Every structure is written in C-alpha cells, then in structure tokens.
Amino acid sequence: MACGKIGNVACDHLGDGRPTGVEVKQGNKPVRRFNSPRMLRIGMNLYTPLLFAGVRVEHVADDWTSVRVRHRVRQWNGNQNGAAFGGTLFAMTDPFFALMVMHQLDPGYVVWSTFASIQFVKAGRGTVTATMQLTSEETDTIRAATTDGSKSVTTHRAEIVASDGAVVARVEQQLYVRKAKPTTAQ
C-alpha cells in the first residue's frame, strides 16, 4: 500500500511498507501521531524519559479510551528511601490524557496540557500502576464545545496505585483543546 503526502499529512514507514505513524504539520512544526495503539505503546516504551525512568506502557485500548502504565521500583531507580521518585510517578501519567484526546479527535485540533498536579499519598514501593481513562463521551463533549472554534478546558484525574491496591498518588491534569487554525500557503 502506497502512502505518500496528502496536503499537510504524510505517512512514514519502518521500511517494510507498513505505516508507523502519521505526521501532521501545524504551521511549520510537525506533530507526530501514531496510527495504532500498539505503535503508541511501543513508541512510548522506547521514549527515553520513560525508558530510563523504568516506566512501561502496558496497554493502550484499541479505541484510545484508556492507557495502563507501570513502574517497578528497583534499587537503581528508587530514591534514597527505596521508593519511586516523585517525578517518575508524575511522568507515568503526564503525556497520556493529551495523547488519548489527540487520537480520539481528528488531526485538526490543538491539544495542550496546561496544568497538572500530583498529590503524594504514600511511598510507592514495589510495582506501581496508573490507569488513565478518557471515555468517548468526554471526547464528544470536547468536540461539541470546540465546533464553533471555541476552546475546551477539561480536567482529568488518575490514581497511581501499589500492587496491593493502596493509593500512592493522585494526579490531576487540565487539557486545553481547540480546532487548529488553518495554515496559509506560502
């Protein structure tokens, strides 16, 4: 299957003819979008800030409505108390709400994470897991709010839990979404 450049959208390949993702240009800046949940999972597992922190994306739903991420605290990636670093706990959730919205919406939207906070409840030891969920109804609400060019600002929450189910941290993230302004040809 040939995949070339159509307008401001272009596909790239692994060399075996299968598309790995879609590049969408907003202005002169390319914005990378993966064309499947599997490729997002693989790409994020190779993304060096997550890879070197020991964060693994375990699952991305086929409809982009949930992402499950885990972190095993080990001697070489824990803090001086043997617990997960706070920054690592935050990194477990940081990009995923925005990525889920981007993939549930059409490429013609601007998605920004404008605010985030984390509340540490207890030390994260052993294996900790976060599941971020964004229902299609929430995305429909965002889409409806932005139809006329207005912005949408929504708040999303997730909990990071230990293997025994105890809450380690609560994360809140605010997303700004609007339709992308059309670019003019130069």
Side-chain angles (χ1 to χ4, degrees), residues 139-175:
T139 306
D140 289 343
T141 302
I142 292 169
R143 187 180 288 112
T146 58
T147 330
D148 64 355
S150 298
K151 68 180 179 182
S152 166
V153 178
T154 54
T155 301
H156 307 276
R157 292 173 183 82
E159 290 184 336
I160 300 171
V161 297
S163 54
D164 65 358
V167 175
V168 172
R170 291 184 181 93
V171 179
E172 184 175 283
Q173 193 172 104
Q174 193 173 68
L175 294 181

Side-chain angles (χ1 to χ4, degrees), residues 48-68:
T48 53
L50 298 180
L51 177 67
F52 292 137
V55 174
R56 299 289 298 167
V57 178
E58 290 187 321
H59 177 75
V60 179
D62 288 338
D63 61 357
W64 304 97
T65 56
S66 71
V67 175
R68 186 177 61 248

Side-chain angles (χ1 to χ4, degrees), residues 45-112:
N45 282 333
L46 295 173
Y47 182 53
T48 53
L50 298 180
L51 177 67
F52 292 137
V55 174
R56 299 289 298 167
V57 178
E58 290 187 321
H59 177 75
V60 179
D62 288 338
D63 61 357
W64 304 97
T65 56
S66 71
V67 175
R68 186 177 61 248
V69 179
R70 111 178 118 69
H71 172 61
R72 277 197 196 126
V73 183
R74 302 185 188 241
Q75 184 177 0
W76 61 85
N77 67 12
N79 65 18
Q80 67 276 11
N81 297 315
F85 282 104
T88 301
L89 293 174
F90 183 73
M92 288 175 69
T93 62
D94 183 33
F96 296 107
F97 284 113
L99 287 169
M100 286 189 290
V101 168
M102 287 172 64
H103 284 88
Q104 286 187 49
L105 293 173
D106 301 325
Y109 286 84
V110 174
V111 179
W112 288 86

